[in-house]
Amino acid sequence: MRSVVVDLDLDSASTMELVNVASAIAAELAKRPAPDSAPACMELTETLAAASDMHEAALAVFIGVVDTGREVQRWGFPSTQSWLRNRLGMREARAKERLTLARQRHRLTEMTGRWESGTVSFGYASTIAGAVARLDDEDCKAAEEILLGMVDQSFSAGKVASFGRRIREVIAERDGTEQPPDADTRRAYERSWIDTTRSLDGGRYIKGWLNAEDAAIWDGTLGPLAKPAGTDDHRDLSERTAAALTSVLSGGHKATKVTVICELDTLTGGHAPARLADGTPIPAEQARRIALSAGVSPLLLGKGGIPLYLGRTERFATPGQRRALESLNPTCAVQGCEVPGTLCEVDHVDGWALGSPTDIDQLTLTCGWHNRWKAANPHRVHITKTPNGRYTYRLQPPADPRPPATKPLTPWTVEPKTIPPPHRTTLTTPPPTNPRAP
């Protein structure tokens, strides 16, 4: 008989110690052969699944902290969902599911408490979190009550999900507060329409409807561009569609013409703000990032606001150069990024400088997010060039702000503590046998 004795005071143990113990037990359990008894395996599966559900509750807390602190951006990932896909090997749907749980758990207090105590499964928790993601706080509370009531009545997770997809109507039906048709419905959907509003960070929200003819044009134009680039393209359909739409709006791979109005000092490290042609003010740092994008015309102002230089689009990458770069770079130059080269931006390897030539041997392709990330973190990009002329960017990890540990913990060891015998937990694992055998 082999034993694993954990000298650990569970009440005072650190989170790291508990995770290390759970990792050690899981690693040992994964190597064990299953009992021959099907009823025994059924019982073990239900017990282990319940424990896994509570592990998922702890995981949601950790992911929430990572997401709120935007830590993944320091490591070169454009989003928490991208980190979950690439670093943890999750499928797109699973990564989105876990991220939604991490972001919604603080609004679902009753569900979270029952999830952590083991009376609500991970499947029900993720279904409820997905249903309330687009609701305000008042409707969220009502939806939580309705959906948990369905759980208590032993509705399946699929049935709860179907109600969750129309939860607003369910709430209105329950409370008798059905609303008359909104303005969008009253349009009778005879004409296509699109509404856009600018967000506070300079982005845009888009909402609209296309009639059958325009929808066919949409599908025929964006459909081929929005297909996955291969088995390693982990972007979801909405991300691929946005990238395809941006590519089409920019002129089908031609550089977008944008004018940034700023002082020369701003591009060389000053703090004076810049502005776009429509008057929208932008910080100096953002102006420098925008100026790094091929296809931007910087209107430089001297003292008194006198224009000094208006860059010409001809000095940026030509269509011929673009085609050559796409043939050389099937994906973004950043190692591990699978955004297709046809949807990437032209990047100056050594950085953009006023008057510098745009030579084909000094250009590569990067996705829009990594192009801006490289501009903001140039010291964390290691650049190499292959004999055929292709550049590869390797992102360096951020410096660890924590002081070095005197004795680092590993997933297989836990520092022992001297604790009173009543708090000592001894886990004894018998050899694999048939627990139902006489």
Side-chain angles (χ1 to χ4, degrees):
M1 179 179 293
R2 293 193 302 165
S3 298
V4 179
V5 179
V6 181
D7 291 328
L8 194 66
D9 184 348
L10 298 180
D11 293 331
S12 61
S14 69
T15 302
M16 179 62 74
E17 289 174 328
L18 293 176
V19 169
N20 285 340
V21 171
S23 299
I25 295 174
E28 177 63 28
L29 186 60
K31 296 183 293 186
R32 293 291 181 92
D36 295 331
S37 170
C41 286
M42 185 174 181
E43 181 180 351
L44 291 172
T45 298
E46 292 177 356
T47 302
L48 186 59
S52 298
D53 285 344
M54 287 184 277
H55 285 170
E56 289 284 355
L59 199 61
V61 178
F62 300 154
I63 294 174
V65 174
V66 172
D67 183 57
T68 304
R70 300 182 62 82
E71 176 66 14
V72 296
Q73 279 78 6
R74 296 181 61 243
W75 289 81
F77 295 99
S79 66
T80 304
Q81 193 165 324
S82 173
W83 167 66
L84 292 172
R85 291 196 312 262
N86 293 280
R87 194 66 177 267
L88 279 69
M90 294 185 189
R91 293 171 301 174
E92 180 67 32
R94 189 58 178 271
K96 185 176 182 179
E97 184 179 52
R98 279 178 164 164
L99 183 58
T100 300
L101 272 168
R103 290 176 173 175
Q104 299 299 323
R105 62 182 302 277
H106 71 282
R107 299 206 301 159
L108 300 166
T109 54
E110 182 180 352
M111 184 216 73
T112 299
R114 294 174 60 174
W115 181 24
E116 293 172 346
S117 66
T119 58
V120 168
S121 70
F122 171 78
Y124 283 122
S126 61
T127 298
I128 295 174
V132 305
R134 298 184 181 277
L135 301 180
D136 58 29
D137 290 343
E138 182 178 354
D139 284 347
C140 174
K141 191 65 178 175
E144 180 185 28
E145 179 184 346
I146 292 173
L147 297 178
L148 282 178
M150 297 180 65
V151 174
D152 293 336
Q153 298 176 54
S154 300
F155 281 80
S156 67
K159 191 68 172 179
V160 174
S162 66
F163 270 78
R165 283 190 288 270
R166 52 181 295 267
I167 192 63
R168 283 193 176 92
E169 290 82 359
V170 173
I171 295 173
E173 290 171 3
R174 186 197 68 172
D175 299 340
T177 56
E178 293 90 344
Q179 297 294 323
D182 57 20
D184 297 339
T185 304
R186 290 195 298 269
R187 293 175 189 265
Y189 296 135
E190 296 175 354
R191 298 183 300 276
S192 299
W193 58 271
I194 292 178
D195 290 333
T196 68
T197 55
R198 186 182 290 273
S199 63
L200 295 177
D201 60 358
R204 280 195 176 274
Y205 296 103
I206 301 176
K207 177 183 178 182
W209 183 85
L210 301 178
N211 59 31
E213 294 80 4
D214 293 341
I217 296 174
W218 172 284
D219 295 337
T221 304
L222 299 184
L225 295 176
K227 292 181 179 179
T231 57
D232 295 331
D233 188 351
H234 302 298
R235 299 172 300 158
D236 59 24
L237 178 60
S238 60
E239 292 173 322
R240 298 196 304 269
T241 301
L245 179 61
T246 301
S247 177
V248 171
L249 293 177
S250 64
H253 312 326
K254 295 181 181 179
T256 303
K257 298 178 181 179
V258 178
T259 300
V260 178
I261 305 172
C262 59
E263 298 178 3
L264 178 60
D265 181 61
T266 299
L267 290 185
T268 57
H271 301 289
R275 70 180 186 275
L276 300 179
D278 62 358
T280 302
I282 56 175
E285 182 180 4
Q286 185 178 0
R288 286 190 288 271
R289 289 200 303 267
I290 292 177
L292 286 163
S293 302
V296 172
S297 297
L299 175 57
L300 304 182
L301 304 179
K303 294 182 178 179
I306 300 175
L308 295 178
Y309 177 82
L310 178 61
R312 304 186 309 276
T313 56
E314 286 78 11
R315 66 182 299 276
F316 299 105
T318 64
Q321 288 177 316
R322 173 85 200 199
R323 288 192 295 272
L325 291 172
E326 289 177 0
S327 66
L328 187 63
N329 301 273
T331 61
C332 171
V334 173
Q335 188 178 41
C337 182
E338 299 299 329
V339 175
T342 54
L343 301 180
C344 288
E345 300 174 357
V346 176
D347 177 58
H348 292 75
V349 175
D350 296 324
W352 180 84
L354 183 62
S356 64
T358 303
D359 298 329
I360 190 65
D361 61 349
Q362 293 295 317
L363 300 175
T364 188
L365 298 177
T366 57
C367 66
W369 194 91
H370 278 123
N371 195 6
R372 295 186 294 273
W373 193 91
K374 173 176 174 278
N377 304 273
H379 59 288
R380 289 179 48 200
V381 180
H382 178 70
I383 303 174
T384 57
K385 187 178 182 181
T386 61
N388 65 355
R390 182 182 179 185
Y391 289 95
T392 300
Y393 295 169
R394 291 178 174 84
L395 307 186
Q396 306 298 314
D400 192 346
R402 299 174 300 178
T406 56
K407 186 178 180 182
L409 297 172
T410 70
W412 318 111
T413 61
V414 178
E415 292 183 338
K417 290 186 177 181
T418 302
I419 57 175
H423 296 280
R424 186 181 300 275
T425 301
T426 302
L427 305 178
T428 303
T429 306
T433 60
N434 187 341
R436 302 299 177 99

